Amino acid sequence: MTDQAAIDPWELPPLRFWQPRMLWRYLLILPFKLLIVAPIVLATTFGYIYLLPFKLRIAHRIHSLTFICWRLFLGIKLEVEDRRADPTKMAKIAVFNHASYIDGFIVGSIIYKFRTIAASWAFHAPLYGAWLKASNSIPLYRDKKNRNIAAQIHEDTSDYTITLTPEGTMTNGKGIIKFRTGAFIGKTAVQPIVFQYQNAKFNNCWIKSTSPMWKHLLMTISQTRNPVRVCLLPTYVPSEEELADPKLFAENVRRTISKASGLPLIDATYKD
């Protein structure tokens, strides 16, 4: 793959909320999701949040049930391909391309014990923010407070996998922008994961500047299904050269994800 500077990673067409083909979905699917599925999601999520700090065995079953309910609510049809040499082992750090706010619910469906790096505003979101706090996830700020995040990642001694998006922001899913190096300075192997949203009739990718999140969310849960392909690539063990150069390490992992997904590399960063 080569860099494709001509691609704008934040360009999306206007969201057409009111359109004829969506009417029956708003009348049938949306009420079903909000009136029947949503209360079940709330009950399982609150149960999971309450039990998580106690690390009880039942928490594992509640975890599985919680994310099954979230996938039903969001209409996620998950297809997982596991290319790891040992499917029972997960690297301490998992990185993935970031194209949608529902990425976290997919991560929770494939990794049981995990903490995540999430935007600081997400910690104040209803329900989702409570779950982030209960799981000891790490807030990401757009200022100097981020200086200790790399240390938190690499000094973590728990048996939890830390998941993060080295792109640092959501894109339109048309390519892979440059990676930040925080996940790659600890001189440890990482688990690359590829997310590909495959709904031909609705774009699950969301950019804040293109449409209100509530409109996109209502359209997301109104779909009959939102197919998502997830590929867990082989654990990436850095070479001696990469250990000495985090930027090279990050770039090579980015190219690995690009090659596996077929998405081009884009010469842009989250600051653009």
Side-chain angles (χ1 to χ4, degrees):
M1 292 290 172
T2 57
D3 288 357
Q4 301 292 323
I7 297 177
D8 184 345
W10 297 284
E11 182 182 11
L12 283 174
L15 192 67
R16 297 176 58 201
F17 187 76
W18 296 111
Q19 50 184 300
R21 73 175 187 84
M22 289 298 299
L23 183 58
W24 73 271
R25 301 172 191 268
Y26 294 148
L27 293 176
L28 296 178
I29 299 178
L30 188 58
F32 171 76
K33 294 282 188 72
L34 294 178
L35 298 177
I36 297 178
V37 181
I40 300 174
V41 170
L42 290 173
T44 56
T45 303
F46 276 121
Y48 179 57
I49 291 172
Y50 176 76
L51 293 171
L52 189 60
F54 297 100
K55 299 182 180 180
L56 302 175
R57 289 186 176 181
I58 194 175
H60 175 69
R61 295 183 179 179
I62 297 295
H63 173 275
S64 300
L65 179 60
T66 297
F67 285 97
I68 288 173
C69 291
W70 273 109
R71 293 204 308 271
L72 177 61
F73 181 67
L74 294 168
I76 298 172
K77 183 180 184 298
L78 199 57
E79 175 189 343
V80 180
E81 179 184 358
D82 196 340
R83 299 182 187 176
R84 292 175 294 170
D86 185 351
T88 65
K89 294 183 179 180
M90 179 69 70
K92 180 64 180 178
I93 298 173
V95 298
F96 56 92
N97 56 306
H98 193 24
S100 176
Y101 50 79
I102 64 178
D103 289 348
F105 300 104
I106 299 171
V107 170
S109 298
I110 59 177
I111 304 176
Y112 168 47
K113 290 185 174 183
F114 77 101
R115 301 170 64 194
T116 191
I117 311 293
S120 57
W121 62 264
F123 285 74
H124 303 288
L127 197 59
Y128 185 57
W131 171 78
L132 288 172
K133 294 173 184 176
S135 61
N136 292 317
S137 293
I138 303 171
L140 175 68
Y141 298 90
R142 298 298 185 191
D143 56 32
K144 62 182 180 180
K145 295 179 182 179
N146 282 328
R147 290 176 180 173
N148 68 342
I149 281 192
Q152 292 183 63
I153 294 172
H154 299 288
E155 293 175 4
D156 184 275
T157 57
S158 70
D159 58 349
Y160 279 61
T161 295
I162 296 180
T163 66
L164 68 154
T165 60
E167 291 172 294
T169 187
M170 283 184 285
T171 70
N172 56 17
K174 295 181 180 180
I176 312 293
I177 65 173
K178 290 184 176 181
F179 282 2
R180 303 174 72 179
T181 58
F184 307 97
I185 65 174
K187 301 181 179 182
T188 184
V190 299
Q191 172 61 61
I193 303 176
V194 176
F195 285 174
Q196 290 182 292
Y197 292 89
Q198 300 178 317
N199 191 335
K201 296 182 179 180
F202 175 71
N203 192 340
N204 294 114
C205 302
W206 175 74
I207 303 296
K208 184 178 180 179
S209 60
T210 60
S211 63
M213 186 176 180
W214 68 267
K215 283 188 176 182
H216 192 276
L217 178 60
L218 288 180
M219 292 188 73
T220 296
I221 63 178
S222 296
Q223 306 300 311
T224 52
R225 64 174 187 168
N226 292 296
V228 185
R229 178 180 177 271
V230 177
C231 182
L232 289 88
L233 302 177
T235 302
Y236 193 102
V237 180
S239 65
E240 290 297 327
E241 187 179 7
E242 290 169 329
L243 290 175
D245 187 350
K247 289 185 178 180
L248 177 64
F249 187 7
E251 179 61 19
N252 287 343
V253 172
R254 183 171 82 113
R255 290 181 179 275
T256 297
I257 291 177
S258 173
K259 182 178 179 181
S261 64
L263 295 172
L265 300 174
I266 300 177
D267 188 21
T269 72
Y270 77 100
K271 293 182 179 180
D272 293 342

